[in-house]
Amino acid sequence: IAETSLPPLWQQTLLRGIACVAPAAALLGGSAASDPAQQYKDESRRAECVSDEKQYHGAMRLATAAACLETALELASSFDEISTPFLCLAAGKDTVVDVAGPPKLMEQSSTPSEQKKLVVFPEALHGLLCEPLPVRAQVEKEIVQWVGQWSPTPQLPLPGK
């Protein structure tokens, strides 16, 4: 987590405390994280996301917010333990995730530099696979190339053996 995106310690403590007492209470106010127009540029893909009956609609619950905070803090404290190859795709205009986070992950992980890759799409929003073409095609290409590069080639048995 980038230091600039961390809530002050008193807010973290308050969130944890209230979440224990009233876990299902909704957070007050809205944010870019809950505005589909701030996450998804492609209008047809945005409409798909908004109309998806499996997607949660409404304000984030306090227990969920506390769990997200704890998870983010734990992950950030463990960046240096990451030693496997990884691809990090980031949106330059992200309003949900702090854009300072991916470079921090790249810097702090113990994965050798040739085994990790950061690709920033400068004009993209949070939902990279909901960007209009040609950006979405570039995102998909990066994913396919990365998986192909780092996935082991399956050793298929020869017929008759």
Side-chain angles (χ1 to χ4, degrees):
I1 297 179
E3 294 298 320
T4 56
S5 65
L6 269 178
L9 187 56
W10 70 266
Q11 287 180 357
Q12 294 177 43
T13 305
L14 182 63
L15 172 62
R16 290 179 185 113
I18 295 174
C20 287
V21 176
L27 287 172
L28 300 174
S31 71
S34 60
D35 179 6
Q38 296 288 321
Q39 295 182 46
Y40 316 119
K41 268 189 194 172
D42 185 284
E43 291 184 20
S44 64
R45 293 221 170 182
R46 181 184 323 135
E48 277 183 59
C49 293
V50 169
S51 66
D52 186 344
E53 63 186 42
K54 294 177 184 149
Q55 180 174 319
Y56 179 76
H57 297 279
M60 183 181 287
R61 304 298 173 183
L62 289 173
T64 303
C68 287
L69 175 63
E70 294 303 323
T71 301
L73 290 170
E74 185 173 331
L75 287 172
S77 71
S78 303
F79 279 175
D80 63 335
E81 296 174 27
I82 299 171
S83 60
T84 59
F86 67 89
L87 170 65
C88 187
L89 303 177
K93 302 273 184 182
D94 204 322
T95 58
V96 178
V97 176
D98 189 333
V99 296
K104 184 176 178 183
L105 169 61
M106 298 300 288
E107 178 185 313
Q108 291 182 341
S109 80
S110 57
T111 301
S113 60
E114 65 276 1
Q115 294 181 3
K116 56 188 173 184
K117 183 176 183 181
L118 170 62
V119 182
V120 178
F121 297 90
E123 298 302 314
L125 298 180
H126 181 73
L128 291 173
L129 292 172
C130 293
E131 284 292 307
L133 294 172
V135 174
R136 183 172 68 240
Q138 293 169 339
V139 171
E140 292 167 346
K141 180 180 175 185
E142 289 290 344
I143 294 168
V144 169
Q145 285 179 340
W146 184 260
V147 170
Q149 179 179 354
W150 293 103
S151 296
T153 304
Q155 299 299 316
L156 301 175
L158 296 173
K161 295 212 174 192

